[in-house]
Amino acid sequence: GPTIFACEGDVEFVAAGAGFAGYSWSTGDSTQGIEIIETGTYAVTVTDSLGCEGFGFIQAIFTPNPEVDLGADISACEGDIVTLDAGQGFDSYLWITGEQTQLIQVSQTGTYTVTVGDSLGCIGSDTIDVIFNPNPIVNLGPDILACPGQPITINAGTGFANYQWSTGEQTQSIIVTAAICYSVTVTDSNGCVGSDTVQVDIAPQITF
């Protein structure tokens, strides 16, 4: 038969035809047909009932499957959009989502698999886990009505990795006296952010 072109991992069956009294393959097998999984030249000598011999061979080429690498697992924040890239140079792409492009964008926690194919029809695949962590919740409480000259402490709460106030301060709590709206943005250990605002008003001065 003609040269066999297959993909790494395939199993090909080669037969010398029926009706001979004996078969002797270069692999050491003595059956009519053999299974092959590696690139190489496979020869067979057949013997008929009179002891006469015939010889034949076939070439097999097993092409390595394409290698696709989606990289390390990804940890993102709720509301983010993550782009997954299967890389260039493949003839076909098929994601578990059904998309058939090199790049896809995801926004939900899950395991994402892509299968790529080359020009010979050989395929390779890879899988990546994407986790979207919830954003931290910070609560500055209700709006505040303070007496004139009274210092007010606004506390963003414990457990956050970073604090950034609209005043420029980076502490868990701040002391204020001005009647304005104050905001804070907090960051957790995953790098996710949350924010809240509180309005501080000053009551009119009481005169007698």
Coordinates of all heavy atoms in Angstrom, one line a residue, residues 114-169:
V114 N -9.3 23.9 25.2 CA -9.2 24.2 23.8 C -8.5 23.0 23.1 O -7.6 22.4 23.6 CB -8.5 25.5 23.5 CG1 -7.0 25.4 23.9 CG2 -8.6 25.9 22.0
T115 N -9.1 22.7 21.9 CA -8.5 21.7 21.1 C -8.0 22.3 19.8 O -8.9 23.0 19.2 CB -9.5 20.5 20.8 OG1 -9.8 19.9 22.0 CG2 -8.8 19.5 19.9
V116 N -6.8 22.2 19.4 CA -6.3 22.8 18.2 C -5.9 21.7 17.2 O -5.6 20.5 17.6 CB -5.1 23.7 18.5 CG1 -5.4 24.8 19.4 CG2 -3.9 22.9 19.0
G117 N -6.0 22.0 15.9 CA -5.6 21.0 14.9 C -4.6 21.7 13.9 O -4.7 22.9 13.6
D118 N -3.8 20.8 13.3 CA -2.8 21.3 12.3 C -3.3 20.9 10.9 O -4.4 20.3 10.7 CB -1.4 20.8 12.6 CG -1.3 19.3 12.6 OD1 -2.2 18.6 12.0 OD2 -0.3 18.8 13.1
S119 N -2.5 21.2 9.9 CA -2.8 21.0 8.5 C -3.0 19.5 8.2 O -3.6 19.1 7.2 CB -1.8 21.6 7.6 OG -0.5 21.1 7.8
L120 N -2.4 18.6 9.0 CA -2.5 17.2 8.8 C -3.7 16.5 9.5 O -3.9 15.3 9.4 CB -1.2 16.5 9.2 CG 0.1 16.9 8.5 CD1 1.3 16.2 9.1 CD2 0.0 16.5 7.0
G121 N -4.4 17.4 10.3 CA -5.5 16.8 11.0 C -5.1 16.3 12.4 O -6.0 15.7 13.1
C122 N -3.9 16.5 12.8 CA -3.4 16.1 14.1 C -3.9 17.1 15.1 O -4.0 18.3 14.8 CB -1.9 15.9 14.2 SG -1.3 14.6 13.1
I123 N -4.2 16.7 16.3 CA -4.8 17.6 17.3 C -4.1 17.5 18.6 O -3.4 16.6 19.0 CB -6.3 17.2 17.6 CG1 -6.4 15.8 18.1 CG2 -7.1 17.4 16.3 CD1 -7.9 15.4 18.6
G124 N -4.2 18.6 19.4 CA -3.6 18.8 20.7 C -4.6 19.6 21.5 O -5.4 20.3 21.0
S125 N -4.5 19.5 22.8 CA -5.4 20.2 23.7 C -4.7 20.6 25.0 O -3.7 20.1 25.4 CB -6.7 19.4 24.0 OG -6.3 18.2 24.8
D126 N -5.3 21.6 25.6 CA -4.9 22.1 27.0 C -6.1 22.6 27.7 O -7.1 23.0 27.1 CB -3.8 23.1 26.8 CG -3.0 23.4 28.1 OD1 -3.0 22.5 29.0 OD2 -2.5 24.5 28.3
T127 N -5.9 22.7 29.0 CA -7.0 23.1 29.9 C -6.4 24.1 30.9 O -5.3 24.1 31.3 CB -7.6 21.9 30.7 OG1 -8.1 21.0 29.8 CG2 -8.6 22.3 31.7
I128 N -7.3 25.1 31.3 CA -6.9 26.1 32.2 C -8.1 26.4 33.1 O -9.3 26.4 32.7 CB -6.5 27.4 31.5 CG1 -5.9 28.4 32.5 CG2 -7.6 28.0 30.7 CD1 -5.3 29.6 31.9
D129 N -7.8 26.6 34.4 CA -8.8 27.0 35.4 C -8.8 28.5 35.6 O -7.7 29.1 35.8 CB -8.6 26.3 36.7 CG -8.9 24.8 36.7 OD1 -9.9 24.4 36.0 OD2 -8.3 24.0 37.4
V130 N -10.0 29.1 35.5 CA -10.1 30.5 35.8 C -11.0 30.7 36.9 O -12.2 30.2 36.9 CB -10.6 31.3 34.5 CG1 -10.7 32.8 34.8 CG2 -9.7 31.0 33.3
I131 N -10.6 31.4 38.0 CA -11.4 31.7 39.1 C -11.6 33.2 39.3 O -10.7 34.0 39.3 CB -10.7 31.2 40.4 CG1 -10.5 29.7 40.3 CG2 -11.5 31.5 41.7 CD1 -9.7 29.1 41.5
F132 N -12.9 33.6 39.4 CA -13.2 35.0 39.6 C -13.6 35.2 41.1 O -14.7 34.7 41.5 CB -14.4 35.4 38.7 CG -14.0 35.5 37.2 CD1 -14.0 34.5 36.4 CD2 -13.5 36.8 36.7 CE1 -13.6 34.6 35.1 CE2 -13.1 36.9 35.4 CZ -13.2 35.8 34.6
N133 N -12.8 35.8 41.8 CA -13.0 36.0 43.2 C -14.0 37.2 43.5 O -14.0 38.2 42.7 CB -11.7 36.4 44.0 CG -10.7 35.2 43.8 OD1 -10.9 34.2 44.4 ND2 -9.6 35.5 43.1
P134 N -14.8 37.1 44.5 CA -15.8 38.2 44.8 C -15.0 39.4 45.2 O -14.0 39.3 45.9 CB -16.7 37.6 45.9 CG -15.8 36.5 46.5 CD -15.0 36.0 45.4
N135 N -15.6 40.6 44.9 CA -15.0 41.8 45.3 C -15.3 42.1 46.8 O -16.4 41.7 47.3 CB -15.5 43.0 44.5 CG -15.0 42.9 43.1 OD1 -13.8 42.7 42.8 ND2 -15.8 43.1 42.1
P136 N -14.4 42.7 47.5 CA -14.6 42.9 49.0 C -15.8 44.0 49.1 O -16.0 44.8 48.3 CB -13.3 43.5 49.5 CG -12.7 44.1 48.3 CD -13.1 43.2 47.1
I137 N -16.5 43.8 50.2 CA -17.6 44.7 50.5 C -17.2 45.6 51.7 O -16.8 45.1 52.8 CB -18.9 44.0 50.9 CG1 -19.3 43.2 49.7 CG2 -20.0 44.9 51.3 CD1 -20.5 42.3 49.9
V138 N -17.2 46.9 51.5 CA -16.8 47.9 52.6 C -18.1 48.7 52.9 O -18.8 49.1 51.9 CB -15.6 48.7 52.2 CG1 -15.8 49.4 50.9 CG2 -15.3 49.7 53.3
N139 N -18.3 49.0 54.1 CA -19.5 49.7 54.5 C -19.1 50.8 55.5 O -18.8 50.5 56.6 CB -20.6 48.8 55.1 CG -21.9 49.5 55.4 OD1 -22.0 50.7 55.1 ND2 -22.8 48.8 56.1
L140 N -19.2 52.1 55.1 CA -18.9 53.2 55.9 C -20.1 53.6 56.8 O -20.0 54.6 57.6 CB -18.4 54.4 55.1 CG -17.2 54.2 54.3 CD1 -16.8 55.4 53.5 CD2 -16.0 53.8 55.2
G141 N -21.2 53.0 56.6 CA -22.4 53.3 57.5 C -23.2 54.4 56.9 O -22.9 54.9 55.8
P142 N -24.2 54.9 57.6 CA -25.1 55.9 57.2 C -24.4 57.3 57.1 O -23.3 57.5 57.7 CB -26.3 55.9 58.2 CG -25.6 55.4 59.4 CD -24.6 54.4 59.0
D143 N -25.0 58.2 56.4 CA -24.5 59.6 56.4 C -24.5 60.1 57.8 O -25.2 59.7 58.7 CB -25.3 60.5 55.5 CG -25.2 60.1 54.0 OD1 -24.2 59.4 53.7 OD2 -26.1 60.5 53.3
I144 N -23.6 61.1 58.1 CA -23.3 61.6 59.4 C -23.6 63.1 59.5 O -23.3 63.9 58.7 CB -21.8 61.4 59.8 CG1 -21.4 59.9 59.7 CG2 -21.5 62.0 61.1 CD1 -20.0 59.6 59.8
L145 N -24.3 63.4 60.6 CA -24.6 64.8 61.0 C -23.9 65.1 62.3 O -24.2 64.5 63.3 CB -26.1 65.1 61.1 CG -26.5 66.5 61.5 CD1 -26.1 67.5 60.4 CD2 -28.0 66.6 61.8
A146 N -22.9 66.0 62.2 CA -22.0 66.3 63.3 C -22.2 67.7 63.8 O -22.7 68.6 63.1 CB -20.6 66.1 62.9
C147 N -21.8 67.9 65.0 CA -21.9 69.3 65.6 C -20.7 70.1 65.1 O -19.6 69.5 64.8 CB -21.8 69.2 67.2 SG -23.3 68.3 67.9
P148 N -20.8 71.4 65.1 CA -19.7 72.2 64.6 C -18.4 71.9 65.5 O -18.5 71.9 66.7 CB -20.2 73.6 64.8 CG -21.7 73.5 64.7 CD -22.0 72.2 65.4
G149 N -17.3 71.8 64.8 CA -16.0 71.6 65.5 C -15.8 70.2 66.1 O -14.8 69.9 66.7
Q150 N -16.8 69.3 65.9 CA -16.7 67.9 66.5 C -15.9 67.0 65.5 O -16.3 66.9 64.3 CB -18.1 67.3 66.7 CG -18.1 65.9 67.2 CD -19.5 65.3 67.2 OE1 -20.5 66.0 67.0 NE2 -19.6 64.0 67.5
P151 N -14.8 66.5 65.9 CA -14.1 65.5 65.0 C -14.9 64.2 64.9 O -15.4 63.7 65.8 CB -12.8 65.3 65.7 CG -13.0 65.6 67.2 CD -14.1 66.6 67.2
I152 N -14.9 63.7 63.6 CA -15.7 62.5 63.3 C -14.7 61.5 62.8 O -13.8 61.7 61.9 CB -16.7 62.8 62.2 CG1 -17.7 63.9 62.7 CG2 -17.5 61.5 61.8 CD1 -18.5 63.5 63.9
T153 N -14.8 60.3 63.4 CA -14.0 59.1 62.9 C -14.8 58.3 61.9 O -15.9 57.8 62.3 CB -13.5 58.3 64.1 OG1 -12.7 59.1 65.0 CG2 -12.7 57.1 63.6
I154 N -14.2 58.1 60.8 CA -14.9 57.2 59.8 C -14.0 55.9 59.6 O -12.8 56.0 59.3 CB -15.0 57.9 58.4 CG1 -15.7 59.2 58.6 CG2 -15.8 57.0 57.4 CD1 -15.8 60.0 57.3
N155 N -14.6 54.8 59.8 CA -13.9 53.5 59.9 C -14.3 52.6 58.7 O -15.5 52.3 58.6 CB -14.1 52.8 61.2 CG -13.1 51.7 61.5 OD1 -12.6 51.1 60.5 ND2 -12.8 51.5 62.7
A156 N -13.4 52.1 57.9 CA -13.7 51.3 56.8 C -13.7 49.8 57.2 O -14.0 48.9 56.3 CB -12.6 51.5 55.7
G157 N -13.3 49.4 58.4 CA -13.4 48.1 58.8 C -12.1 47.3 58.6 O -11.2 47.8 57.9
T158 N -11.9 46.2 59.3 CA -10.7 45.5 59.3 C -10.7 44.4 58.2 O -11.7 44.2 57.6 CB -10.4 44.7 60.6 OG1 -11.5 43.8 60.9 CG2 -10.4 45.7 61.8
G159 N -9.5 43.8 58.0 CA -9.4 42.7 57.1 C -9.1 42.9 55.6 O -9.0 42.0 54.8
F160 N -8.8 44.2 55.3 CA -8.4 44.5 53.9 C -6.9 44.7 53.9 O -6.3 45.1 54.8 CB -9.1 45.8 53.5 CG -10.6 45.6 53.5 CD1 -11.4 46.4 54.4 CD2 -11.3 44.7 52.8 CE1 -12.8 46.3 54.5 CE2 -12.7 44.6 52.8 CZ -13.4 45.4 53.7
A161 N -6.4 44.5 52.7 CA -4.9 44.6 52.5 C -4.5 46.1 52.3 O -3.3 46.4 52.6 CB -4.4 43.8 51.3
N162 N -5.4 46.9 51.7 CA -5.0 48.3 51.4 C -6.2 49.2 51.5 O -7.4 48.7 51.2 CB -4.4 48.3 50.0 CG -4.0 49.7 49.6 OD1 -4.7 50.5 49.0 ND2 -2.8 50.2 50.1
Y163 N -6.0 50.4 52.0 CA -7.1 51.4 52.1 C -6.6 52.7 51.3 O -5.5 53.1 51.4 CB -7.4 51.8 53.5 CG -7.8 50.6 54.4 CD1 -6.8 49.8 55.0 CD2 -9.1 50.4 54.7 CE1 -7.2 48.7 55.8 CE2 -9.5 49.3 55.5 CZ -8.5 48.5 56.1 OH -8.8 47.4 56.9
Q164 N -7.5 53.2 50.5 CA -7.2 54.5 49.9 C -8.4 55.4 50.0 O -9.5 55.2 49.4 CB -6.9 54.2 48.4 CG -6.5 55.5 47.6 CD -5.2 56.1 48.2 OE1 -4.1 55.4 48.2 NE2 -5.2 57.3 48.6
W165 N -8.3 56.5 50.8 CA -9.4 57.4 51.0 C -9.3 58.6 50.0 O -8.2 58.8 49.4 CB -9.3 58.0 52.4 CG -9.6 57.0 53.5 CD1 -8.7 56.1 54.1 CD2 -10.8 56.7 54.1 NE1 -9.3 55.3 55.0 CE2 -10.6 55.7 55.0 CE3 -12.1 57.2 53.9 CZ2 -11.7 55.2 55.8 CZ3 -13.2 56.7 54.7 CH2 -12.9 55.7 55.6
S166 N -10.4 59.2 49.8 CA -10.5 60.4 48.9 C -9.6 61.5 49.5 O -9.3 62.5 48.7 CB -11.9 60.8 48.7 OG -12.6 61.1 50.0
T167 N -9.3 61.5 50.8 CA -8.4 62.5 51.4 C -7.0 62.2 51.1 O -6.1 63.0 51.5 CB -8.7 62.5 52.9 OG1 -8.3 61.2 53.4 CG2 -10.1 62.9 53.2
G168 N -6.7 61.0 50.5 CA -5.3 60.7 50.3 C -4.7 59.8 51.4 O -3.6 59.2 51.2
E169 N -5.4 59.6 52.5 CA -4.9 58.8 53.6 C -5.1 57.3 53.2 O -6.0 56.9 52.4 CB -5.7 59.1 54.9 CG -5.4 60.5 55.4 CD -6.4 61.0 56.4 OE1 -7.5 61.5 56.0 OE2 -6.1 60.9 57.6

